[in-house]
Amino acid sequence: MQKALGLVCLILTSCVLLYVVLWKNVSEQWTRSVFVGEIEHTDDRTLTYQTNITSALDVSSFGTTFIYKDENSHSIEREATITPIPVLYKKNFTKLPEWDFEDVYLQDHLARKPTCPKSLKNTEDLKFQEALLPNIQLWLYKGLLNLSEWNRLAHFNNPFGFMEYNYNEVKVAVDLIQKPQSSILLPVPGSAKDGCIRCAVVGSGGILNNSKMGKEIDSHDYVFRVNGALIQGFEEDVGNKTSVYVHTAFSLYSTILRFRKYGNHIIPQDEGIKYVMIPEGLRDFQWLQGLLQGKEAIGSFKGVRPLKFFNGHFNESRFYVLHPDFLRYIRNRFMPSKQMQGKAWAMYRPTNGAFALFLALHTCDIVDAYGYITEDHHKYSNYYFEKFEKTKVIFYINHDYGLEIKIWKKLHDSGIIRLYQRQENLNKTKT
């Protein structure tokens, strides 16, 4: 009897040990396979390769067949079966989670190679130069989101990834986005003998009220505008040319309603204008689905037809959606806020104006910023179009305005941008 009992115990113990070994192996393989997007890691040989990834993923590596090197440098081809990772929830993290692949981004090797002598590549600011990725993938479009990429991006909160979202809800919208005819947003003007692209980025700050900067702004090759880009009646201060309009679904929709009393009835609709959308959250992908299918949106914008806001000027070949990697790269390398280390970590993101300015820095050679927040912002109204009823800047918790003030000033002092500041105030400071 005792021998039989001992035999049973031995068998049970062996089964438990076998289960533990198998589960450990499976779980390790699964963990390794979901972390780095298209580059699958399912054994020790490829795990070594994982630790050597330092900068970016290549857009050209998409597919489900993977080629990697073993310890003897032999190429091995493998078919990978991928399933979505379990949903990660923001509430389960007390601060921004940091993954081994946090600073790994897609790169576009067809990106513009500037010839301008004043290009950012030639900046003397070594820290900026080290942080800069000239080939960062700017655009999200059909073909750039599959299960493997989803598993990578699902580790990051919106708008930097797809944490808490459902794969199918997002993919159905992404698959409607056309691949841009060119990775280059703006071509070098034919009149630019030095090969330089000169851009103005115009925010909505009250510092532009009575600034008389309109002609100077319009003298640039291209003009970027964001959010409630009111022009009619304010041309003398902000110009009347718009080459690129940067927005989220909510900023486009809400600013027309909120600022209608100031004369804001339509978004900029210049001939040849490029529309760039920041995918802020799930509602943006719901908006995208309605926009690109010419139907009413679902979810937060149920009953709204996004296409009507373009007044017949919408053209898919001139419509772009920023890639979450670009947004996360801007936050991580240029605008890391202390807020990311607290309980409200998931709420923080740079402003739309910040993303627009950095988009210009990755698109143009010479960038001048107007209407951006400065140290003396309290002297001006919140918006340049508030001529009679003036409001103050509200420091919302989802942005770090103090950080942006410092960054714009630092970029200006380093000669990376030229930040418009009221001349009368600069003169007082000097005296």
Side-chain angles (χ1 to χ4, degrees), residues 178-190:
Q178 285 188 10
K179 180 180 180 179
Q181 295 176 358
S182 170
S183 298
I184 301 170
L185 180 64
L186 300 169
V188 177

Side-chain angles (χ1 to χ4, degrees), residues 200 202 208 211-223 225 234-241 368 370 418:
V202 185
L208 285 175
S211 65
K212 307 294 190 296
M213 284 290 106
K215 286 185 178 179
E216 181 175 306
I217 289 171
D218 284 345
S219 70
H220 292 75
D221 298 321
Y222 301 105
V223 179
R225 298 185 193 272
F234 306 97
E235 294 90 346
E236 189 177 19
D237 291 336
V238 301
N240 60 14
K241 180 168 75 174
D368 298 332
Y370 302 83
R418 185 170 67 88

Side-chain angles (χ1 to χ4, degrees), residues 197-347:
I197 300 177
R198 294 168 171 81
C199 297
V201 188
V202 185
S204 55
I207 193 172
L208 285 175
N209 192 322
N210 200 33
S211 65
K212 307 294 190 296
M213 284 290 106
K215 286 185 178 179
E216 181 175 306
I217 289 171
D218 284 345
S219 70
H220 292 75
D221 298 321
Y222 301 105
V223 179
F224 289 65
R225 298 185 193 272
V226 297
N227 299 344
L230 280 72
I231 292 177
Q232 188 173 0
F234 306 97
E235 294 90 346
E236 189 177 19
D237 291 336
V238 301
N240 60 14
K241 180 168 75 174
T242 306
S243 312
V244 181
Y245 177 62
V246 183
H247 63 285
T248 64
F250 180 75
S251 72
L252 184 154
Y253 176 78
S254 66
T255 52
I256 288 181
L257 299 179
R258 288 171 55 206
F259 302 142
R260 185 167 290 169
K261 62 181 179 181
Y262 299 109
N264 188 37
H265 300 293
I266 58 173
I267 61 175
Q269 296 177 350
D270 299 48
E271 184 178 355
I273 189 173
K274 308 288 180 70
Y275 293 106
V276 176
M277 184 173 176
I278 302 168
E280 183 181 33
L282 182 59
R283 64 186 177 188
D284 292 84
F285 292 100
Q286 294 169 339
W287 172 278
L288 271 171
Q289 192 173 346
L291 175 67
L292 299 176
Q293 290 181 332
K295 300 178 180 179
E296 289 186 358
I298 58 176
S300 301
F301 294 104
K302 185 177 181 180
V304 176
R305 285 186 174 271
L307 202 57
K308 76 173 186 179
F309 292 91
F310 294 84
N311 200 30
H313 293 266
F314 181 77
N315 186 322
E316 286 190 50
S317 67
R318 291 186 277 106
F319 181 76
Y320 302 77
V321 179
L322 287 172
H323 196 286
D325 268 11
F326 174 75
L327 305 178
R328 196 175 75 261
Y329 151 74
I330 297 304
R331 181 198 66 183
N332 290 352
R333 296 201 173 192
F334 301 101
M335 307 190 71
S337 172
K338 293 180 180 178
Q339 293 177 207
M340 300 188 317
Q341 301 308 313
K343 292 183 178 180
W345 67 271
M347 298 184 68

Side-chain angles (χ1 to χ4, degrees), residues 331-372:
R331 181 198 66 183
N332 290 352
R333 296 201 173 192
F334 301 101
M335 307 190 71
S337 172
K338 293 180 180 178
Q339 293 177 207
M340 300 188 317
Q341 301 308 313
K343 292 183 178 180
W345 67 271
M347 298 184 68
Y348 168 70
R349 74 168 183 81
T351 60
N352 290 352
F355 285 135
L357 183 52
F358 274 101
L359 174 62
L361 286 171
H362 286 74
T363 301
C364 314
D365 300 301
I366 300 168
V367 177
D368 298 332
Y370 302 83
Y372 276 70

Side-chain angles (χ1 to χ4, degrees), residues 403-420:
L403 176 64
E404 295 200 8
I405 290 172
K406 293 176 182 177
I407 289 176
W408 308 149
K409 182 68 164 55
K410 184 178 180 180
L411 292 177
H412 173 82
D413 292 342
S414 300
I416 295 171
I417 67 171
R418 185 170 67 88
L419 176 67
Y420 172 69

Side-chain angles (χ1 to χ4, degrees), residues 166-181:
N166 177 279
Y167 173 68
N168 292 324
E169 284 183 318
V170 175
K171 184 170 172 58
V172 70
V174 173
D175 283 352
L176 295 172
I177 306 171
Q178 285 188 10
K179 180 180 180 179
Q181 295 176 358

